[in-house]
Amino acid sequence: MGGNNNTGVPLVDEPGWPKQPGPYLVLLETSGPLERRLLNSWIQRHKPSETQAGVVQVAYLPTTRRRRRRRRLDPRIEAFLHAGANPLLIPLRISWLPEKRGDRRTVGWRELLTLGDPRDPDPVRQYAIYQFRPERCRIVIGEPARAETIRDEWDDPDGTGRTSGTSLVEFAAQRAWVQLEQAERKLRGSRYKVPKFPKETLVESPVFTRGVAELAHTADTSYTAMAGKTRRYAKEIAATHSPYVIDLVTGAIRWLVDKAYTGLDYDEEELAALYAIGQNHPLVFLPSHKSNFDHLVLQYVLYQNGLPPNHTAGGINMNFFPIGPILRRSGVFFIRREFRDNEPYKFVLRRYVDYLLEKRFPMEWYIEGGRSRSGKLRAPRLGMLAYVVDSYVRGSADDIVLIPVSIAYDQIQDVGSYAREQAGGAKERESFRWLVTSVRGVRRKAGAIHLRFGAPISVKGFLALQDDLPDDPDDTRNPAIPKLAFEVAVRLNEVTPITPTSLVALALLSADERSLSVAETVEMLAPYLDFVTRRDLPTSEKLGLDQPAKVEEILSELGSHGVVESFDGKTATVYRIRQDQHLAAAYYRNTIIHFFINRAITEMALIHLADTGVNAKIRRNIREETKRIRDLLKFEFFFSATDEFNQEIRRELDDHDVDLKQHLEDGDVAAILDRFRPFVSPALLRPFFEAYRVVADLLEENAYQTGLDKDQIRREALLLGKQYVLQGLVGKAESVSRVLFESAISLADNRGLFTDGPTTIEDRQAFAAELRDAVHHLEMLATLQQRSG
């Protein structure tokens, strides 16, 4: 193939000369002699004659690619800025594009590792690309500005110039680099829309420098010392995106996802619609957190759709070598776990969030804080949400849009480690060795990954509906924040899809220790499938679990991942959960349990009324009993407000009993309960109440002890739970769970059972009796179920 050695030949899609009159100062950002020749040739081809426009001067800017250490700025820039001619400054650079693959210009992982970043070729590769692929070499022109305009911006007391200590020439150069970056973004696409100088822009802003002065005064220290501390914090926190690393990481994600899963399932049009909103308002993605794949999957989906990467809040525990620097350059900013009393750190984080929202860079974090070890959505952590809401209240954006994102898996690669942790095993610390071990542990595909986007939440609109907001915009005690977090959780649950695996796991757990044939599993699944269909609940696919072949396929997949074992008998193959895998199976069940929780609570309320012989004022008694049970489970599930919850229970009654009105008039609770067969509460709620009973028994055993230690209860609960399983006092192996014990301790603490008082002994004993009563009624339902079967 012939080469192109003539640098005077126009390049593809060359921009024209600016229409503004001269004189002109062209700022050339170059990384080598070829780029310098190409840009000077462009000037010669396009510049107006001096008689028309005046003199065209040239000065050079150091390259900012790969964040190389900046060289000294060209002294001619400062001279021309102070000259009286008021020249038009024109930023100019060469942009090197990757090869075109299909209809997109993206970089392959192999190319990145062997040849380096094609957007920043070394001088030898520059010549090769220019000679043999000249269409990959483009001239980029940034938005021009008059020297007088730049001086005025630099002098602005609310800007990032003189007041922040930045010299005029540094300010002009940084402005030119930013304008070039924005112009080049049109060529590269939005997937590389990232801040150019985040740390510098942050710490040089007047708001930041004034805040540093206030912190120094409060701490009775020098401005210099406080400025140094906050700059170090800014460096520790801020993400420093690199297009090279973004390509490298997404290539690795593609390989890893292909290795571990069969595919990604999401709606591209729905995602595009969200980013249409993002053109006017900053977006905050709030994914559920089931797996270490979560962030990788969302990052990959955004990249594949040509969308900008999120700025993702990550725990400082993930900032280990070499993963930490890679994550930081692909968009993760790291936050310390504890910084409550560190005012300078909180100040820097607050201003960094302001900066991201002001510039409309999308953000992301896990509202649960960490991965769910039980399958259920964890209680929201309010810290980052509070920072974002407070930023909006202070005026960083006219609105902020929260996007709940449910990420569901046919099977979870991490589920084995979760089960071990719940059973009492130690959590493995994140490290490079841990990462390598985890990747090597992926030996087979685990089905598909499903992304579902919940209804967006306007922070502006949500706060407008609240009537208890603080008057001071800097008051962080905003009562709307827990309500907003709750709404996010509800919307996450609403769109979480029901997978075939989750329903099959539920069916097997419903059988207790009994093995099931495929036909029996289909029969066990029938009422759940009917419920899903009647309620039009979201599913990951057409379930097809009324077909034996589909059920057998799911059972086999669970078997290949070690959750289920089978026995080939004479007339049928039967399946059951492996002896030590009940917590793993419960994980899948718990991902969808919220869809069935109101029905299960209604069953428990009815069996309680039937057992205690209540046959008058049944409607009111059902309402009171369901409310009591809901209160026991308030640390497990996200329940609606009282009035709405009562309506939901009424719907359960109406949906199951067409003769409800007559049965209520007759006081026939048993007849109403009978319409709920087959019962779901023994399979769904018995593990929770058995775990709670273990903690309650320990509290009763220590009823007379003062200063009761929660850590003591945590340790003893695991031992007593395992003992109860061996004694047959606990019927569900998955009841012995650290996560459930922790919720029980939270409930007990909420009821004041760890506080010494005049009624503490009686309260602890009453709590234990209430939990034993709940377990007893679930056992009654299970017995009724067996008799009817």
Side-chain angles (χ1 to χ4, degrees):
M1 186 181 294
N4 178 19
N5 293 302
N6 184 3
T7 56
V9 176
L11 298 176
V12 175
D13 296 331
E14 275 195 357
W17 194 267
K19 297 185 182 300
Q20 297 96 317
Y24 303 101
L25 172 60
V26 185
L27 302 176
L28 305 185
E29 181 187 350
T30 64
S31 64
L34 177 61
E35 290 189 354
R36 193 173 296 116
R37 285 165 49 196
L38 290 172
L39 293 176
N40 280 306
S41 295
W42 178 87
I43 293 172
Q44 296 304 315
R45 285 195 302 275
H46 291 277
K47 72 176 182 177
S49 65
E50 292 186 7
T51 57
Q52 294 175 312
V55 177
V56 176
Q57 302 285 357
V58 173
Y60 292 94
L61 295 171
T63 182
T64 57
R65 295 194 189 116
R66 291 197 193 174
R67 298 190 163 270
R68 295 188 180 106
R69 185 177 180 182
R70 295 187 204 165
R71 296 188 294 271
R72 189 172 65 89
L73 291 169
D74 191 331
R76 288 174 292 182
I77 301 175
E78 185 170 13
F80 289 127
L81 284 171
H82 289 290
N86 192 25
L88 183 73
L89 276 66
I90 306 172
L92 206 64
R93 74 157 56 139
I94 295 292
S95 177
W96 302 93
L97 302 180
E99 286 279 6
K100 201 166 188 178
R101 290 175 168 81
D103 60 346
R104 295 187 296 186
R105 291 191 180 274
T106 56
V107 185
W109 198 21
R110 184 173 300 175
E111 181 182 7
L112 285 168
L113 291 177
T114 56
L115 299 176
D117 190 354
R119 287 166 298 243
D120 184 21
D122 58 44
V124 174
R125 288 188 69 199
Q126 287 181 6
Y127 276 103
I129 293 171
Y130 177 68
Q131 289 188 49
F132 299 105
R133 292 287 189 273
E135 75 281 358
R136 291 176 53 193
C137 178
R138 305 291 179 89
I139 290 176
V140 174
I141 183 170
E143 182 68 28
R146 291 285 176 194
E148 183 179 14
T149 301
I150 294 174
R151 287 196 298 269
D152 290 344
E153 291 177 356
W154 178 68
D155 274 326
D156 184 356
D158 294 324
T160 58
R162 185 198 296 272
T163 55
S164 65
T166 304
S167 70
L168 176 59
V169 65
E170 290 173 336
F171 181 83
Q174 186 160 311
R175 186 189 186 284
W177 282 318
V178 170
Q179 294 300 323
L180 286 169
E181 194 70 18
Q182 293 176 353
E184 189 170 359
R185 192 179 297 153
K186 297 176 182 177
L187 284 174
R188 296 184 307 193
S190 293
R191 62 165 54 93
Y192 304 111
K193 180 186 175 184
V194 296
K196 187 65 175 176
F197 304 110
K199 184 173 76 70
E200 294 84 350
T201 304
L202 176 66
V203 301
E204 292 171 4
S205 69
V207 174
F208 193 94
T209 54
R210 287 196 295 267
V212 171
E214 292 174 6
L215 286 168
H217 175 73
T218 302
D220 194 21
T221 187
S222 70
Y223 178 89
T224 301
M226 185 59 69
K229 178 179 287 189
T230 54
R231 282 178 177 268
R232 289 193 296 274
Y233 287 155
K235 182 178 180 181
E236 175 185 318
I237 292 171
T240 53
H241 292 77
S242 159
Y244 175 79
V245 175
I246 290 172
D247 286 335
L248 191 66
V249 167
T250 50
I253 294 172
R254 182 188 301 113
W255 171 81
L256 187 57
V257 170
D258 287 346
K259 174 182 173 68
Y261 290 94
T262 57
L264 299 176
D265 166 36
Y266 64 95
D267 188 332
E268 293 182 9
E269 293 183 1
E270 188 177 14
L271 185 59
L274 293 175
Y275 269 89
I277 300 173
Q279 297 301 310
N280 301 310
H281 307 293
L283 301 180
V284 174
F285 288 82
L286 299 172
S288 58
H289 201 10
K290 299 288 192 296
S291 166
N292 282 316
F293 276 87
D294 294 334
H295 169 67
L296 306 180
V297 168
L298 185 53
Q299 180 176 348
Y300 180 66
V301 165
L302 297 178
Y303 181 91
Q304 285 295 96
N305 286 269
L307 299 171
N310 293 338
H311 286 70
T312 303
I316 199 72
N317 59 305
M318 294 301 293
N319 190 20
F320 57 85
F321 185 83
I323 300 304
I326 294 174
L327 291 177
R328 188 184 298 278
R329 286 166 176 77
S330 66
V332 175
F333 64 95
F334 294 106
I335 301 177
R336 297 181 180 184
R337 290 189 180 275
E338 293 293 336
F339 52 89
R340 181 174 301 176
D341 299 324
N342 190 336
E343 292 301 323
Y345 187 92
K346 288 193 288 187
F347 165 78
V348 174
L349 179 58
R350 187 178 297 117
R351 295 308 167 200
Y352 183 62
V353 171
D354 288 347
Y355 164 76
L356 295 178
L357 296 174
E358 286 170 4
K359 303 298 183 183
R360 294 205 302 272
F361 289 114
M363 294 182 65
E364 172 192 340
W365 73 86
Y366 301 114
I367 198 162
E368 300 170 83
R371 285 174 290 160
S372 170
R373 262 60 177 186
S374 67
K376 292 188 302 85
L377 203 61
R378 296 177 63 182
R381 302 291 292 273
L382 305 181
M384 277 302 299
L385 187 61
Y387 275 88
V388 166
V389 172
D390 293 342
S391 181
Y392 162 75
V393 172
R394 290 195 306 273
S396 64
D398 59 357
D399 195 6
I400 299 168
V401 180
L402 309 182
I403 312 294
V405 185
S406 174
I407 305 178
Y409 300 78
D410 285 341
Q411 293 199 56
I412 302 278
Q413 294 284 355
D414 321 58
V415 74
S417 64
Y418 296 166
R420 286 191 295 273
E421 288 177 34
Q422 284 199 74
K427 177 181 179 292
E428 188 173 357
R429 185 178 178 183
E430 288 85 356
S431 64
F432 184 64
R433 178 181 179 182
W434 161 82
L435 177 66
V436 172
T437 303
S438 299
V439 173
R440 285 179 174 175
V442 178
R443 303 186 184 280
R444 58 182 65 84
K445 292 182 183 292
I449 305 174
H450 311 277
L451 277 76
R452 298 292 185 268
F453 301 98
I457 303 172
S458 160
V459 171
K460 179 180 180 179
F462 187 88
L463 294 182
L465 298 175
Q466 310 304 312
D467 55 8
D468 52 356
L469 299 179
D471 295 327
D472 183 357
D474 290 324
D475 188 347
T476 58
R477 297 166 298 179
N478 191 333
I481 292 171
K483 299 177 185 177
L484 183 56
F486 184 90
E487 185 62 28
V488 171
V490 168
R491 298 193 188 195
L492 279 170
N493 273 338
E494 286 176 346
V495 297
T496 297
I498 296 172
T499 64
T501 302
S502 59
L503 281 176
V504 170
L506 173 54
L508 292 174
L509 288 167
S510 301
D512 294 324
E513 296 300 316
R514 185 165 61 91
S515 298
L516 299 177
S517 67
V518 171
E520 288 172 320
T521 308
V522 171
E523 182 180 355
M524 192 78 75
L525 284 164
Y528 295 106
L529 293 175
D530 178 64
F531 187 86
V532 170
T533 302
R534 285 189 290 110
R535 297 292 174 91
D536 193 25
L537 300 178
T539 58
S540 60
E541 60 189 88
K542 189 177 184 302
L543 295 174
L545 294 177
D546 55 344
Q547 301 298 316
K550 179 66 175 179
V551 172
E552 186 173 12
E553 175 190 332
I554 301 301
L555 289 168
S556 297
E557 289 175 359
L558 285 167
S560 67
H561 285 265
V563 178
V564 167
E565 61 184 3
S566 61
F567 174 75
D568 295 325
K570 181 179 180 182
T571 60
T573 299
V574 293
Y575 301 84
R576 71 172 183 180
I577 298 166
R578 286 183 181 272
Q579 190 64 34
D580 59 345
Q581 291 297 310
H582 286 79
L583 286 170
Y587 190 99
Y588 296 118
R589 175 201 64 199
N590 289 344
T591 62
I592 62 169
I593 192 173
H594 56 279
F595 289 118
F596 305 92
I597 190 64
N598 284 346
R599 173 178 173 176
I601 288 174
T602 306
E603 292 175 5
M604 285 192 66
L606 291 170
I607 191 66
H608 175 84
L609 297 179
D611 185 41
T612 54
V614 173
N615 55 17
K617 298 181 180 179
I618 296 177
R619 191 187 301 277
R620 188 185 71 181
N621 281 291
I622 290 175
R623 185 165 59 247
E624 292 302 317
E625 185 60 19
T626 54
K627 181 181 177 182
R628 184 186 67 81
I629 298 169
R630 181 184 75 157
D631 188 69
L632 285 171
L633 296 169
K634 64 185 178 183
F635 287 96
E636 298 289 354
F637 304 102
F638 297 92
F639 293 109
S640 304
T642 301
D643 290 344
E644 186 177 350
F645 176 75
N646 289 336
Q647 292 174 6
E648 292 167 355
I649 297 300
R650 177 58 188 261
R651 180 186 177 188
E652 294 293 340
L653 293 165
D654 290 337
D655 193 38
H656 286 85
D657 188 357
V658 294
D659 301 314
L660 178 65
K661 184 177 180 180
Q662 184 63 50
H663 288 149
L664 289 172
E665 291 176 358
D666 296 342
D668 196 348
V669 178
I672 301 173
L673 178 62
D674 195 57
R675 297 295 175 91
F676 278 77
R677 293 176 185 272
F679 306 125
V680 301
S681 52
L684 297 179
L685 293 184
R686 190 170 173 182
F688 294 88
F689 284 115
E690 286 186 336
Y692 281 33
R693 178 201 166 182
V694 169
V695 171
D697 283 355
L698 287 170
L699 289 171
E700 185 179 41
E701 178 185 320
N702 295 277
Y704 293 90
Q705 180 178 331
T706 59
L708 192 57
D709 182 23
K710 294 176 189 175
D711 287 335
Q712 172 191 337
I713 299 298
R714 289 187 181 98
R715 291 190 299 270
E716 293 180 357
L718 281 170
L719 294 173
L720 185 61
K722 292 175 182 178
Q723 173 190 322
Y724 277 5
V725 170
L726 294 172
Q727 291 178 299
L729 299 176
V730 163
K732 295 285 188 181
E734 65 270 24
S735 301
V736 183
S737 161
R738 270 180 169 169
V739 175
L740 297 185
F741 293 150
E742 193 62 42
S743 297
I745 290 170
S746 297
L747 177 64
D749 190 33
N750 178 257
R751 293 192 172 190
L753 302 184
F754 287 95
T755 302
D756 299 327
T759 63
T760 299
I761 296 172
E762 293 81 3
D763 291 342
R764 289 173 179 172
Q765 292 170 339
F767 184 61
E770 185 177 15
L771 267 302
R772 283 194 292 270
D773 184 65
V775 172
H776 169 65
H777 287 134
L778 287 164
E779 290 172 346
M780 287 181 64
L781 286 167
T783 302
L784 289 172
Q785 189 98 296
Q786 292 168 0
R787 288 175 182 172
S788 64

